[in-house]
Amino acid sequence: MNIAASGNDILDDAALKALRQDLAAAFRLCHRFGWSESVGNHFSAAVSTNGRKFLLNPRWQHFATIKASDLLLLDADDPGVMNGPDAPDPSAWTVHGTLHRMLPEARVILHCHSPYAVALSCLKDPTLLPLDNNTARFFGRIGYDLSFGGIADAAEEGERLAEMIRGKAVLVMGNHGVSIAGETVADAFEDLYFFEKAAQTMVLALSTGKPLAVLSDEIAQGTADGWVPYRGMAEKHFAYLKSCLDKDDPAWRD
C-alpha cells in the first residue's frame, strides 16, 4: 500500500484509484450474490494511515450502479460533512465514521444484511458454532453485539460497535446483520463470502432438529489457524469476480 508517513496523508493517486475500483466491485458483487437490500447498507475503506479519511458509498445509491468515481471521500473528524449536499446516510456516518476513527487497523468495513447472516443474528444465541471448515474458519474471530436498538444513528452506538469488533474480523449484530473488518477489500469480501456460507451451514444444520456435531475448541482453533496460509485465495477469488464484472459492464471501474 503506497501511503505517506503522516497519518492524515492519503494514498497516492494510483493506489487510491485501485482502492476505489475494488470497493466499487465489492458493492456490485454484493448485489450479484443477493446480499444487497434496496438502497441501504454501507461499505467503506480507509485511505489514510490513521483511518480517519475514508471512502463511503453515496446516500441511497443502489449497489448495482456504484462506480469507482461515485464513492465519497470523507474525513471522520469533520462532522460538517453531514450539512453538505452530498451528505452520507446518517447511520453510515455514525457507524463507519466512528469505526474508522477508533480502529485505524480496520482498513475496510463491509456491512450488509445477507440472508443467512441475518437469520443467525436473529437467534437468541447467535454464536457461530464450529461445525466444518467454513464455520471453524471464524473460531475466535467473531464479536457479538446483542444490544439492537433500531437504526444506528447515535454516537454511543457507533462507539459500542467499535469496541465489539476491536481485534476481530466479524461482528454479528444481533437482530440486524453482519459487519466485516479486513486489511484489504479482497480480504474483507472473502470473509463476507465465507461467513455467509458458514451461517448457511449453521442455519441448515439447526433446521434438521438433530444434535449438532460441534468440533472441540482444539480442532476448531487448529482449523482456523490452518486457514491463515490460504489467505492468498482472497486476492485470486476477488480478481476472478472482478473479471466477471468487466465482461458485463466495465464502466464500474470509471
Side-chain angles (χ1 to χ4, degrees), residues 138-152:
F138 297 99
F139 188 77
R141 302 177 64 220
I142 305 174
Y144 295 88
D145 176 62
L146 305 183
S147 300
F148 178 75
I151 294 176

Side-chain angles (χ1 to χ4, degrees), residues 160-238:
R160 187 188 76 246
L161 295 174
E163 290 302 329
M164 291 295 185
I165 199 173
R166 186 186 298 276
K168 306 294 185 182
V170 178
L171 179 64
V172 172
M173 305 165 76
N175 305 98
H176 188 164
V178 65
S179 289
I180 306 288
E183 186 174 333
T184 68
V185 176
D187 286 335
F189 195 84
E190 191 80 338
D191 270 346
L192 180 62
Y193 173 88
F194 274 108
F195 189 82
E196 180 65 4
K197 282 189 167 295
Q200 180 180 24
T201 296
M202 177 85 172
V203 170
L204 291 176
L206 287 171
S207 72
T208 68
K210 302 290 187 180
L212 302 181
V214 182
L215 301 175
S216 68
D217 287 358
E218 180 181 7
I219 296 297
Q221 186 63 64
T223 304
D225 294 342
W227 273 104
V228 175
Y230 289 86
R231 182 180 175 188
M233 287 175 57
E235 292 293 339
K236 292 291 188 180
H237 185 203
F238 199 61

Side-chain angles (χ1 to χ4, degrees), residues 34-252:
W35 305 336
S36 61
E37 190 166 83
S38 182
V39 292
N41 295 324
H42 315 97
F43 292 175
S44 61
V47 303
S48 60
T49 305
N50 62 13
R52 293 168 183 257
K53 293 182 179 178
F54 63 98
L55 300 173
L56 181 73
N57 46 311
R59 181 176 181 173
W60 301 343
Q61 182 174 347
H62 199 283
F63 277 22
T65 71
I66 291 178
K67 299 187 296 186
S69 59
D70 291 327
L71 299 171
L72 305 175
L73 178 57
L74 305 176
D75 187 333
D77 293 320
D78 179 19
V81 69
M82 295 303 295
N83 299 321
D86 295 325
D89 185 306
S91 64
W93 174 255
T94 296
V95 175
H96 291 256
T98 303
L99 264 62
H100 283 296
R101 187 172 63 251
M102 293 180 62
L103 304 173
E105 67 276 15
R107 306 304 301 171
V108 177
I109 300 167
L110 310 181
H111 169 67
C112 70
H113 300 164
S114 48
Y116 285 98
V118 171
L120 179 69
S121 79
C122 292
L123 300 178
K124 188 173 182 63
D125 178 3
T127 302
L128 181 69
L129 299 174
L131 301 173
D132 71 335
N133 274 325
N134 290 341
T135 49
R137 172 192 180 100
F138 297 99
F139 188 77
R141 302 177 64 220
I142 305 174
Y144 295 88
D145 176 62
L146 305 183
S147 300
F148 178 75
I151 294 176
D153 55 7
E156 57 270 20
E157 184 158 5
E159 293 168 359
R160 187 188 76 246
L161 295 174
E163 290 302 329
M164 291 295 185
I165 199 173
R166 186 186 298 276
K168 306 294 185 182
V170 178
L171 179 64
V172 172
M173 305 165 76
N175 305 98
H176 188 164
V178 65
S179 289
I180 306 288
E183 186 174 333
T184 68
V185 176
D187 286 335
F189 195 84
E190 191 80 338
D191 270 346
L192 180 62
Y193 173 88
F194 274 108
F195 189 82
E196 180 65 4
K197 282 189 167 295
Q200 180 180 24
T201 296
M202 177 85 172
V203 170
L204 291 176
L206 287 171
S207 72
T208 68
K210 302 290 187 180
L212 302 181
V214 182
L215 301 175
S216 68
D217 287 358
E218 180 181 7
I219 296 297
Q221 186 63 64
T223 304
D225 294 342
W227 273 104
V228 175
Y230 289 86
R231 182 180 175 188
M233 287 175 57
E235 292 293 339
K236 292 291 188 180
H237 185 203
F238 199 61
Y240 166 74
L241 293 174
K242 287 190 293 184
S243 74
C244 294
L245 293 178
D246 286 333
K247 292 176 183 177
D248 296 337
D249 181 14
W252 66 271

